[in-house]
Amino acid sequence: MSEVCVIIGASHAAAQLSASLRTEGWEGEILVIGDEAYFPYHRPPLSKTFLSGEKTIEQIQIRPAAFYEKQNIQFKLNTRIEAIDREKKSLTLSSGETLQYDKLALCTGSRPRILTLEGSQLPGVHYLRTAADIEGIQSDIAPGKKAVIVGGGYIGLETAAALRKLGLEVTVLEMMDRVLQRVTAPEISAFYHRVHTEEGVDIKTGTAIRAIEGNGKVEGVILDDQSRLDADLVIIGAGILPNVELAEKAGLEVDNGILVDELAKTSDPDIVAAGDCTNFPNPLFGKRMRLESVPNAMEQSRSAAASICGKEKVYAAQPWFWSDQYDTKLQIAGLSEGYDQVVIRGDYEQSRSFVAWYLKDGKLLAADCVNRGKEFMTAKKLIQSGVEVDATKLADDSIDPKELLP
Ligand SMILES: Cc1cc2nc3c(=O)[nH]c(=O)nc-3n(C[C@H](O)[C@H](O)[C@H](O)COP(=O)(O)OP(=O)(O)OC[C@H]3O[C@@H](n4cnc5c(N)ncnc54)[C@H](O)[C@@H]3O)c2cc1C
């Protein structure tokens, strides 16, 4: 009998891992089990073109169903795995059925942090993680309706942009002093605050939500200063948590993510994990990290697939990320954590095209590039090279980005 590799979760990591298993030479069965209703789809468009109605679920699928059929990759959708028995190498499904595995891949991703304030159970309160979440939002929106978004992170801001496009009145509530405070320099926060204000979004920083009110449905929100805002719907983007409980219950090591090594192996030799749910050592940084991004899920899945096939493919990638809002494309290279200097190229106060370079000890750690594709490519190379950079040249917009390279 051929061996069986089961993949839990059917999203970015699973789509890549299943495909990579075939390219790495896995000849046994591949079964992907996910609790959503759809084949793996691109999650980033959810807060962008899927929410705005420009794309359908078919148009955002990562691969067509025919691809999986051709590669003999089986799916069981609408199915949750409730437990893993590592000794018996068996899984308990939500249907009560059990299944045997030879190799197991955990691609369980993450879920939104749920707010437990008064009124948070009312119809009209939404989260933003799955296509089903967006379908719920879509049934509540119409031009002129009032939306309150809780959280001024990337997802909250992208949602604000999509809802403005659809003609809603949008308020963003951010607890901290500025939007994107956790992840960017003040200049980037100021830029997005300005752009959203220009587009008609009301951003309230230093403002927390205390309760949601309504008679059978959302009608308003109460802020921490006791003031009230009318609202027809509330969308909560208050961060995410890794889905580690299944692994933890099975006795795998977990610490802010499922602990894996640089080959995506867990503490069980027959179980790998990849994507948002993992905490992995990044040799480029000399430390462990947990990332929430598509490139991370895909790259790490390639290592996980190789490990299942008995090969070694170290995962040591430079993180990168992007965010689309209105006519601005932000591309982020590297991780800015720990920077000691920010250098700006371009005019972030007036225009919609500039770069924030993050330096530490004279070397480039990261760059936020707004509508600056060339600088983004240059930044990736500069970060990788680890050479000292000339801050004056980085700031000088008349110098071609290519000339910044050593
Ligand atoms: C609205 C939105 C916008 C985003 N925009 C960007 C962006 O612009 N750029 C970017 O790089 N990243 C973006 N991200 C983040 C990116 O989507 C994630 O990093 C990526 O989806 C991670 O993929 P994953 O496969 O690890 O996990 P997930 O996509 O979280 O998928 C995990 C899947 O496993 C399922 N699952 C969990 N437990 C079980 C179980 N026990 N049984 C069965 N199934 C289970 C989950 O329901 C889910 O379907 C965005 C995310 C969201 C929500």
Side-chain angles (χ1 to χ4, degrees):
M1 257 187 35
S2 74
E3 286 198 301
V4 182
C5 177
V6 176
I7 302 175
I8 307 180
S11 181
H12 286 278
Q16 185 59 50
L17 210 157
S18 58
S20 294
L21 275 175
R22 289 293 179 225
T23 48
E24 293 291 347
W26 178 262
E27 288 177 351
E29 287 178 43
I30 302 174
L31 174 60
V32 182
I33 303 179
D35 59 3
E36 292 187 58
Y38 302 111
F39 279 105
Y41 56 84
H42 291 279
R43 240 176 251 291
L46 292 184
S47 49
K48 308 169 183 106
T49 47
F50 186 67
L51 175 56
S52 63
E54 292 158 71
K55 294 258 168 85
T56 62
I57 189 76
E58 288 75 25
Q59 288 170 318
I60 64 167
Q61 268 183 9
I62 296 175
R63 291 193 168 88
F67 170 87
Y68 301 113
E69 209 173 305
K70 195 164 166 216
Q71 297 292 325
N72 194 16
I73 297 167
Q74 313 290 326
F75 277 82
K76 232 183 213 307
L77 299 173
N78 285 315
T79 305
R80 253 191 100 66
I81 298 296
E82 302 293 352
I84 304 168
D85 184 330
R86 293 199 288 133
E87 255 174 43
K88 292 190 184 143
K89 289 190 150 187
S90 85
L91 306 170
T92 306
L93 280 56
S94 41
S95 60
E97 197 186 334
T98 56
L99 261 183
Q100 295 298 124
Y101 67 84
D102 295 292
K103 300 284 179 189
L104 185 64
L106 303 174
C107 300
T108 50
S110 44
R111 62 176 183 276
R113 194 184 291 276
I114 303 292
L115 286 197
T116 53
L117 38 90
E118 191 189 324
S120 58
Q121 303 295 326
L122 280 170
V125 177
H126 299 277
Y127 290 85
L128 221 156
R129 183 74 199 173
T130 64
D133 291 338
I134 305 298
E135 286 157 0
I137 294 175
Q138 281 167 335
S139 65
D140 263 356
I141 56 180
K145 281 203 174 184
K146 293 185 170 66
V148 171
I149 297 173
V150 181
Y154 285 118
I155 287 182
L157 293 180
E158 286 178 357
T159 306
L163 294 183
R164 281 302 294 152
K165 214 171 180 176
L166 295 169
L168 279 86
E169 288 181 32
V170 182
T171 305
V172 174
L173 306 178
E174 170 53 56
M175 235 165 47
M176 305 230 201
D177 294 341
R178 55 184 174 89
V179 294
L180 301 171
Q181 181 157 331
R182 199 172 55 88
V183 286
T184 66
E187 290 85 349
I188 296 280
S189 301
F191 170 75
Y192 279 107
H193 197 125
R194 168 174 70 83
V195 167
H196 278 276
T197 306
E198 284 170 2
E199 299 286 346
V201 175
D202 183 9
I203 296 189
K204 295 185 188 301
T205 52
T207 305
I209 182 170
R210 175 169 283 205
I212 302 171
E213 288 191 331
N215 197 355
K217 185 170 183 341
V218 170
E219 289 170 5
V221 299
I222 307 293
L223 307 181
D224 52 1
D225 64 0
Q226 295 295 353
S227 61
R228 183 184 183 280
L229 290 177
D230 283 344
D232 298 303
L233 70 152
V234 174
I235 300 175
I236 297 172
I240 61 170
L241 298 168
N243 289 321
V244 297
E245 292 74 8
L246 189 64
E248 200 167 24
K249 263 196 330 197
L252 294 172
E253 288 176 38
V254 162
D255 180 12
N256 181 30
I258 302 167
L259 291 185
V260 293
D261 64 12
E262 68 280 8
L263 302 172
K265 291 179 175 173
T266 67
S267 44
D268 182 320
D270 291 316
I271 306 182
V272 297
D276 275 21
C277 63
T278 66
N279 182 318
F280 64 95
N282 189 330
L284 299 181
F285 293 78
K287 64 173 186 180
R288 284 194 163 271
M289 52 180 67
R290 186 173 67 76
L291 297 176
E292 301 159 4
S293 81
V294 169
N296 169 63
M298 293 184 56
E299 283 306 311
Q300 195 180 26
S301 293
R302 292 191 171 99
S303 297
S307 290
I308 288 176
C309 296
K311 301 178 185 174
E312 287 200 358
K313 192 175 266 181
V314 171
Y315 174 48
Q318 273 296 342
W320 65 277
F321 191 79
W322 74 93
S323 176
D324 297 328
Q325 299 167 45
Y326 312 107
D327 55 353
T328 67
K329 179 165 207 64
L330 167 67
Q331 291 166 294
I332 303 170
L335 287 181
S336 61
E337 195 186 311
Y339 68 88
D340 57 25
Q341 189 184 359
V342 177
V343 177
I344 303 292
R345 161 181 281 233
D347 183 356
Y348 74 91
E349 287 172 314
Q350 305 286 334
S351 81
R352 293 192 180 192
S353 164
F354 73 102
V355 183
W357 312 92
Y358 297 83
L359 277 60
K360 186 174 187 198
D361 300 332
K363 293 179 182 172
L364 192 64
L365 275 187
D368 291 343
C369 309
V370 178
N371 292 334
R372 294 279 183 136
K374 278 190 190 168
E375 278 88 345
F376 173 64
M377 297 312 292
T378 302
K380 280 176 121 178
K381 290 179 188 157
L382 281 175
I383 296 166
Q384 195 75 34
S385 70
V387 294
E388 287 205 6
V389 289
D390 181 337
T392 327
K393 283 188 178 166
L394 291 180
D396 187 344
D397 222 352
S398 68
I399 298 178
D400 190 290
K402 270 193 217 145
E403 289 175 34
L404 301 170
L405 292 168

